[in-house]
Amino acid sequence: MRIIRFLTEGSVPTLAALTDDSKIYVLPQKDFMELVHLAEEQRTTTLALVEGMIATSTPLDRTIGDLSLLVPIVAPEVWAAGVTYEKSRDARNYEATSGKLDASTFYDKVYDAERPEIFFKSTAARTIGPDQDVYLRTDSNWQIPEPELGLVISKSGKIVGYTVGNDMSCRDIEGENPLYLPQAKMWKHSCSIGPAIRLAETVDDPYKFQITCRIYRNEEKIVEGTASTGQLKRKLDELVSYLTLDNEIFDGTVLLTGTCIVPYNEFTLLDGDRIEIEISDIGVLNNPVKLQANKIAVS
């Protein structure tokens, strides 16, 4: 069972259940966390609550492809974990050493350290959803998408759902100096999540998700990579525990868990490209790539 949000023909944001046989049922709640809290109040699971609500309902006579999808949750904050996959560690080392992969760096240290790398990625106002444009940063010449499994978390730190995330990144800015990480990671429309939230209780093993990233240029596929969350160096609960340690988080916070797919080193995104990130049993997050119109001169 998945939860989506979409705009009605009257431009009203609407919550809906998307069943595994692709039927769509409108739900009365306004947002995903309202659904979660109602289930808690009734001492049941979110899945059981949704199944009860749709049992006597009629599905929409539309497919998910017909809908104008929104972010599945208006996350007050999006955080991200870095260097959680071997592929990510190797890519960060390449950036930091100008390709001298035999050199040991702080990325090797954090990969093996007890404490993970966790950084702030986005706010609700900066986060976009399916089919919206992700923007290129105007002072970077080496930019990529980072396909990631996203954890939807309650304020108590409970994982209540899984979604797809795109943590847009500037490899040249981060590689120049690790203190530039916020600039390499956060700018307008640099974070996308969607298209749905898979209910946590419907996932037997979150380390069996298959992740695929495809990049199209002039609608020709130029990059494709696949990986599994089974390649994660760290456990998901471990990442959440460090995020919540001495920290207040808010209902519906999303934690991106790191990337395991990195395009070849000579690749950079260009204006007009299109990114598809697919995670099995969750869906496909599609975003066109655009260069921001107002370039700021850098002296």
Side-chain angles (χ1 to χ4, degrees):
M1 183 73 72
R2 291 166 287 174
I3 303 299
I4 60 174
R5 290 174 69 245
F6 68 96
L7 279 178
T8 66
E9 292 180 358
S11 297
V12 177
T14 302
L15 197 71
L18 175 63
T19 64
D20 289 341
D21 58 358
S22 300
K23 293 180 180 178
I24 301 168
Y25 296 85
V26 170
L27 298 173
Q29 286 72 30
K30 293 182 179 179
D31 60 62
F32 176 69
M33 291 309 301
E34 184 180 343
L35 198 64
V36 171
H37 291 317
L38 181 60
E40 291 173 345
E41 291 171 8
Q42 297 185 6
R43 298 188 177 182
T44 187
T45 65
T46 308
L47 175 62
L49 177 67
V50 172
E51 288 179 333
M53 287 191 292
I54 69 175
T56 56
S57 301
T58 301
L60 294 179
D61 187 22
R62 304 175 74 182
T63 68
I64 190 170
D66 298 328
L67 302 179
S68 178
L69 293 175
L70 302 170
V71 286
I73 186 166
V74 181
E77 295 179 345
V78 179
W79 293 75
V83 201
T84 54
Y85 291 87
E86 183 177 2
K87 183 71 172 180
S88 177
R89 180 202 63 186
D90 293 345
R92 302 294 84 79
N93 279 339
Y94 185 93
E95 298 156 13
T97 64
S98 300
K100 299 175 183 178
L101 296 178
D102 57 340
S104 179
T105 75
F106 42 83
Y107 292 115
D108 293 292
K109 292 180 180 180
V110 77
Y111 183 73
D112 294 321
E114 178 180 352
R115 181 186 298 274
E117 177 195 14
I118 295 179
F119 57 90
F120 190 76
K121 173 64 184 181
S122 189
T123 60
R126 293 183 177 92
T127 305
I128 62 167
D131 303 318
Q132 291 185 274
D133 296 339
V134 289
Y135 288 164
L136 295 174
R137 191 175 173 103
T138 58
D139 58 349
S140 170
N141 295 310
W142 193 13
Q143 301 183 62
I144 62 169
E146 292 194 359
E148 308 192 14
L149 176 68
L151 312 179
V152 182
I153 308 169
S154 71
K155 63 183 179 182
S156 66
K158 180 181 178 181
I159 300 172
V160 293
Y162 301 96
T163 192
V164 183
N166 180 0
D167 170 20
M168 293 281 287
S169 297
C170 300
R171 297 188 68 181
D172 49 354
I173 294 176
E174 183 176 1
E176 182 178 350
N177 191 316
L179 296 181
Y180 294 159
L181 180 67
Q183 296 173 78
K185 290 289 188 177
M186 183 187 287
W187 65 91
K188 187 177 181 180
H189 287 208
S190 64
C191 179
S192 177
I193 60 172
I197 297 171
R198 166 66 64 175
L199 297 181
E201 59 263 40
T202 68
V203 178
D204 293 329
D205 187 349
Y207 303 100
K208 290 186 177 179
F209 282 118
Q210 296 298 310
I211 304 176
T212 302
C213 181
R214 309 176 191 92
I215 303 173
Y216 296 85
R217 184 162 293 161
N218 299 319
E219 287 308 311
E220 177 184 351
K221 185 168 60 180
I222 56 172
V223 172
E224 182 171 20
T226 61
S228 166
T229 50
Q231 298 168 250
L232 262 170
K233 174 71 180 296
R234 300 180 184 272
K235 296 300 182 183
L236 302 178
D237 288 338
E238 173 191 357
L239 296 175
V240 173
S241 70
Y242 274 95
L243 173 63
T244 58
L245 181 63
D246 296 328
N247 184 28
E248 180 184 15
I249 64 167
F250 309 101
D251 268 340
T253 292
V254 171
L255 173 59
L256 304 180
T257 55
T259 192
C260 48
I261 301 171
V262 180
Y264 57 93
N265 290 320
E266 295 75 22
F267 175 83
T268 187
L269 288 167
L270 298 179
D271 181 47
D273 289 351
R274 184 170 63 84
I275 304 162
E276 286 184 355
I277 300 173
E278 180 175 4
I279 299 184
S280 57
D281 299 322
I282 300 177
V284 179
L285 176 60
N286 175 74
N287 294 108
V289 178
K290 295 295 181 186
L291 182 65
Q292 297 188 60
N294 298 320
K295 183 171 182 176
I296 300 173
V298 178
S299 59

